[in-house]
Amino acid sequence: MTAKARRKAASHKGRQATAADLKQVRQYLDQGKGRRDRLIEYLHRIQDDLGHLPAQLLVGLAEELRLSQTEVFEIASFYHHFDVTREGESAPPALTVRVCESVSCSLANAEALIEQLQQTLGDGVRVQRVPCVGRCERAPVAVVGTRPVEIAGLEDVAAAVESGSHADVIPTGVLDFAAYCSGGGYSRLRELSEQDDQAARERIIGSLEHAGLRGLGGAGFPAGRKWRIVRDYEGPRLMAVNIDEGEPGTLKDRYYLERDPHRFFEGMLIAARVVGIDAIYIYLRDEYAGVRALLERELDALEGDPPCPLPPIELRRGAGAYICGEESAMIESIEGKRGMPRLRPPYIAERGLFGRPTLEHNMETLYWVPEILEKGADWFVSHGRNGRQGLRSYSVSGRVKRPGVHLAPAGISVRELIDEYCGGMSDGHAFKAYFPGGASGGILPASLGDLPLDFETLNDYGCFIGSAAIIVLSDQDSVREQALNAMRFFAHESCGQCTPCRVGTVKAAELMARPDWDQPLLEELCQVMEDASICGLGQAAPNPLRCAMKYFPEEF
Ligand SMILES: Cc1cc2nc3c(=O)[nH]c(=O)nc-3n(C[C@H](O)[C@H](O)[C@H](O)COP(=O)(O)O)c2cc1C
Ligand code: SF4
């Protein structure tokens, strides 16, 4: 750059924050001070307060956090729940009604509901199509403000809009701190803290290994082995708990949190002690506003009367981005950045959150720790079917009489699950197909309905169980339509970082929307996405498409 160009660049300061903007921004920081990693929290505070993110406040936020304006704008516009408004642009309507259009809700006629709502609700209300909101057992679901309306019809949603109460509430029937403690809760954690030696920690890891407890967020990595790996890296070590629960069809984390949050906290704190964790970050999807209020309340109770010294625990709020469930994207998000998966190695166990060794777990994995320690690993492995061991929480939705979370033996088949746990198929529906692991896990025909539902078993069929989100389709459903639904979901949720996924998912969805599928071209696209995508989203995106072509030729 010439000296003249340098002088010109220095004199061109771009948009500046006014003193009034800075004063306003400081109200949203922590006691007037900002921490870079808490940027997303501050964005939430502004959005909650004003209903949108005015550009001049983002400029002020950039100045307070010593970030470039571009970075703050990029981050704010990455997350679906933030509305950035530029100068001269009007703010969005005061109320947003989000209607889920993912697989289970689409089976329950969400499309018709969306159209009716768009025609009926007035100008002051914005109707948005959104991906899965985690209430698939009571589809279709609309969320008015943050208040969920389940099995939603036009009248229910209109009544919720009219009522003026648009905030989600804490669920009832929760086993709270006092009740959990009086039932003997936290005694395993207390015992460990009183006798915290190498042998005690080794016994606990040994129990988890004997129980065969595997990560329940999707990848199924053995929990005990992960604890050993992270523990062996030099501290300080951190922990990140994944409650992003964005995989369409998955609702188990919410189910357990709404009932027994302290069982999860106890498991989390046992893990923290055994592995030697210095601070814990809990990442909760933004869609679970009632659960967030519950966790805040119960964390306060726990920290007010702790069974033993606790590490610092921070509850963080997602902002509507499925990709933030991917562990390294989640870490980026906790650091206050866009949720873009990292290239590996290094794995997060070695260099994760803030560059430290990080133990990341799905919330449900930790939930099982106290019970396995209390009842013994033999109790856990005594369950199982079709040659598998252990228990699994299946989130079942779609065409069954009793959808919901069913705790059943690992290795049960979908046919057994439907008959024994779900009260059979819905009246007038015959079993045709199923997603064994949410949108990413592929689609199998009823003729493969006797396969054991477990890790690895389904790989040979181009599928995986993931978070055990089983969506049941019937003779009245079109597999090709649902495969398209899944592909549109991936296209919407791709973080955009790598071309095979960003372009591949959009291109595939376009081709799949045509009456005739160009199957050789689609297969080529699948191959590129699978081979060249950075993370599991792009690698798994071809699964439902390939299954549709392979198992349901009659639909083409
Ligand atoms: C695209 C994508 C989305 C994911 N979403 C979630 C999620 O919502 N919740 C979760 O626990 N794990 C999710 N995972 C898996 C995590 O990356 C990670 O394996 C898991 O949190 C580790 O915890 P676990 O060993 O206890 O399962 C996702 C993975 C990918 C590739
Ligand atoms: S595969 Fe998709 S979601 Fe994953 S890093 Fe690439 S663009 Fe992002």
Side-chain angles (χ1 to χ4, degrees):
M1 201 189 259
T2 63
K4 191 176 168 197
R6 243 194 324 272
R7 272 200 307 280
K8 192 172 171 203
S11 69
H12 182 77
K13 290 189 177 149
R15 197 197 294 257
Q16 297 288 295
T18 63
D21 294 338
L22 290 174
K23 186 170 173 220
Q24 190 177 357
V25 160
R26 282 186 204 116
Q27 294 168 18
Y28 299 110
L29 306 181
D30 301 310
Q31 287 87 43
K33 293 214 164 34
R35 239 172 65 193
R36 195 254 175 269
D37 63 295
R38 288 177 53 76
L39 170 60
I40 292 164
E41 296 297 307
Y42 306 145
L43 294 174
H44 271 304
R45 287 177 191 166
I46 300 174
Q47 169 98 24
D48 285 351
D49 194 24
L50 307 179
H52 63 119
L53 299 174
Q56 74 270 19
L57 293 192
L58 298 190
V59 172
L61 205 46
E63 194 163 322
E64 282 296 312
L65 298 179
R66 306 214 186 300
L67 294 171
S68 74
Q69 293 176 14
T70 322
E71 193 168 1
V72 175
F73 273 83
E74 274 177 355
I75 293 164
S77 53
F78 178 86
Y79 294 92
H80 298 304
H81 284 188
F82 293 138
D83 294 297
V84 179
T85 49
R86 289 167 181 82
E87 249 166 41
E89 255 180 14
S90 47
L95 182 63
T96 300
V97 175
R98 297 188 166 102
V99 187
C100 171
E101 61 169 355
S102 289
V103 179
S104 313
C105 283
S106 89
L107 294 174
N109 243 340
E111 190 52 46
L113 177 65
I114 293 169
E115 279 169 24
Q116 288 171 340
L117 289 171
Q118 280 169 338
Q119 285 160 14
T120 317
L121 299 178
D123 286 344
V125 185
R126 166 174 65 164
V127 179
Q128 268 183 351
R129 297 161 183 278
V130 293
C132 187
V133 295
R135 297 178 181 272
C136 330
E137 83 281 31
R138 297 177 63 78
V141 182
V143 184
V144 177
T146 59
R147 173 181 164 186
V149 180
E150 299 179 328
I151 317 184
L154 178 61
E155 289 78 31
D156 314 315
V157 180
V161 169
E162 287 298 310
S163 75
S165 91
H166 302 147
D168 197 6
V169 293
I170 294 184
T172 50
V174 182
L175 199 68
D176 66 8
F177 180 61
Y180 186 71
C181 291
S182 64
Y186 288 112
S187 49
R188 266 86 38 195
L189 176 65
R190 205 175 288 109
E191 271 164 31
L192 176 65
S193 71
E194 284 159 6
Q195 198 206 55
D196 197 358
D197 53 24
Q198 185 57 26
R201 282 178 245 140
E202 198 51 45
R203 265 197 307 279
I204 289 178
I205 294 188
S207 284
L208 298 188
E209 286 174 335
H210 182 49
L213 181 67
R214 296 175 65 164
L216 298 167
F221 193 84
R225 197 184 323 155
K226 200 188 270 192
W227 292 20
R228 283 188 198 284
I229 293 171
V230 179
R231 187 192 58 179
D232 288 348
Y233 286 113
E234 202 174 309
R237 300 173 205 89
L238 301 173
M239 183 169 179
V241 181
N242 193 337
I243 326 183
D244 202 49
E245 191 148 87
E247 184 66 47
T250 315
L251 45 117
K252 65 190 182 60
D253 297 350
R254 176 177 59 80
Y255 175 89
Y256 286 121
L257 288 171
E258 286 179 348
R259 287 159 180 78
D260 200 357
H262 288 279
R263 187 170 297 273
F264 148 58
F265 286 151
E266 184 171 8
M268 172 182 88
L269 292 165
I270 290 171
R273 267 197 174 259
V274 171
V275 177
I277 295 292
D278 295 86
I280 301 176
Y281 294 79
I282 302 174
Y283 190 90
L284 177 70
R285 72 180 309 197
D286 197 33
E287 287 79 353
Y288 290 171
V291 171
R292 186 168 68 249
L294 168 70
L295 292 187
E296 279 166 358
R297 185 186 78 187
E298 295 305 314
L299 269 175
D300 277 352
L302 170 65
E303 287 171 337
D305 183 16
C308 61
L310 307 178
I313 304 169
E314 257 195 58
L315 180 60
R316 289 296 188 87
R317 183 174 167 189
Y322 162 73
I323 192 56
C324 290
E326 194 282 336
E327 58 185 12
S328 64
M330 200 185 99
I331 280 173
E332 290 284 303
S333 188
I334 296 175
E335 291 182 359
K337 302 175 190 157
R338 287 178 291 172
M340 290 199 165
R342 295 179 181 173
L343 280 170
R344 279 146 283 195
Y347 290 94
I348 62 162
E350 181 185 359
R351 207 178 318 149
L353 195 48
F354 307 117
R356 303 307 318 165
T358 302
L359 179 71
E360 174 151 348
H361 266 309
N362 169 249
M363 168 262 149
E364 194 206 343
T365 315
L366 298 165
Y367 178 88
W368 284 106
V369 170
E371 201 161 345
I372 289 175
L373 298 182
E374 182 188 317
K375 295 184 177 161
D378 287 337
W379 160 79
F380 196 71
V381 295
S382 70
H383 297 90
R385 209 180 275 190
N386 301 317
R388 316 284 148 165
Q389 288 186 326
L391 285 165
R392 295 272 342 226
S393 310
Y394 297 92
S395 306
V396 188
S397 60
R399 309 297 192 185
V400 295
K401 282 211 177 85
R402 279 204 305 273
V405 174
H406 296 290
L407 183 63
I412 194 170
S413 72
V414 72
R415 216 182 289 282
E416 292 166 332
L417 194 61
I418 295 171
D419 292 343
E420 297 171 35
Y421 289 82
C422 303
M425 293 292 293
S426 303
D427 289 335
H429 292 265
F431 178 37
K432 170 178 171 179
Y434 63 112
F435 285 83
S440 333
I443 311 174
L444 290 168
S447 58
L448 293 174
D450 297 315
L451 295 175
L453 294 173
D454 201 5
F455 296 114
E456 281 99 36
T457 327
L458 308 175
N459 297 1
D460 292 345
Y461 300 87
C463 292
F464 59 73
I465 186 172
S467 55
I470 318 288
I471 310 174
V472 179
L473 307 184
S474 80
D475 54 347
Q476 299 182 21
D477 304 319
S478 152
V479 168
R480 60 178 283 172
E481 254 175 44
Q482 293 309 329
L484 172 58
N485 184 307
M487 190 58 78
R488 285 186 172 141
F489 167 77
F490 296 126
H492 188 255
E493 296 301 316
S494 165
C495 82
Q497 185 177 193
C498 52
T499 314
C501 168
R502 183 186 64 247
V503 178
T505 50
V506 171
K507 189 79 196 156
E510 275 169 20
L511 291 171
M512 290 164 80
R514 294 184 187 169
D516 294 316
W517 285 18
D518 183 340
Q519 297 199 29
L521 184 59
L522 281 167
E523 178 45 42
E524 249 182 77
L525 260 179
C526 288
Q527 200 57 51
V528 176
M529 286 192 267
E530 185 184 350
D531 290 347
S533 295
I534 291 179
C535 87
L537 188 151
Q539 290 156 8
N543 290 347
L545 160 59
R546 277 187 166 142
C547 288
M549 295 192 288
K550 179 172 175 190
Y551 298 117
F552 303 90
E554 69 283 4
E555 292 204 15
F556 298 93

